Structure formats: C-alpha cells, structure tokens
Amino acid sequence: MSPVTVLIPTLLRPLVDDRSAVEIPLEAPAPVSAVLDTLADGRPVLARRIRDETGALRRYVNIYVDGEDVRRADGLSTPVAPGSEVMIIQSVAGG
C-alpha cells in the first residue's frame, strides 16, 4: 500500500492541523472524490471549503493529480493511483 500525498494550500492548513501535506492510504486506484472524502472525514469545514452542497468542486478550487487538472480529465471521477500526488489549489481574490 502506497499513500497518496495531498498537498494542502496555506488557507486550508488550519483545518488539517497546520500541515502542508496529508498522506491518504490507498491500496488500489480510486477516484479523486474518494480521496477527498477520506481527507475530509471528521473535518466538515474542510469538506465545505472544497466542495459545494451537491458534492461538486467549488469553482474557485482546482485539483491536480500528478500535475494534471482534473477538470480537463474526468473531474472528481479522475482515478488516483497509489503513490500519486494530489494538489489542492484555492484561488484567492480581493480588491
């Protein structure tokens, strides 16, 4: 079993004990949605910051699996292999 490394953006780090990365155990390929479910288990605020009430990615959140944007692949169904790197990027806007 090789863990998936999920890279956490600075704004979300307080929701994961100020860690910059979280390892998710993965035995076989799984969809991005399952990796996010595991990451958000017991962290409802984190879950709401990444996905909306329908379970879709929020429009200001981008997810990359090994450098590939999941929106250009199969979205939250994009497979994640054991040992992969998942990067969460949260857009920040202001004026």
Side-chain angles (χ1 to χ4, degrees):
M1 175 172 27
S2 183
V4 169
T5 301
V6 181
L7 302 178
I8 309 296
T10 303
L11 291 174
L12 297 179
R13 289 178 188 170
L15 304 174
V16 292
D17 302 321
D18 290 317
R19 293 186 287 175
S20 61
V22 175
E23 290 191 347
I24 305 291
L26 195 62
E27 294 180 17
V32 170
S33 60
V35 172
L36 293 177
D37 288 343
T38 302
L39 176 67
D41 188 34
R43 300 174 174 119
V45 174
L46 177 64
R48 288 191 305 271
R49 296 267 176 93
I50 297 172
R51 294 189 275 185
D52 66 19
E53 55 281 343
T54 68
L57 277 181
R58 293 199 177 274
R59 64 185 177 110
Y60 57 84
V61 173
N62 295 308
I63 306 285
Y64 293 83
V65 175
D66 293 329
E68 296 294 323
D69 186 348
V70 300
R71 292 184 198 272
R72 295 184 180 187
D74 292 327
L76 292 175
S77 297
T78 301
V80 179
S84 292
E85 181 179 84
V86 174
M87 185 182 337
I88 301 171
I89 296 180
Q90 192 175 29
S91 299
V92 179

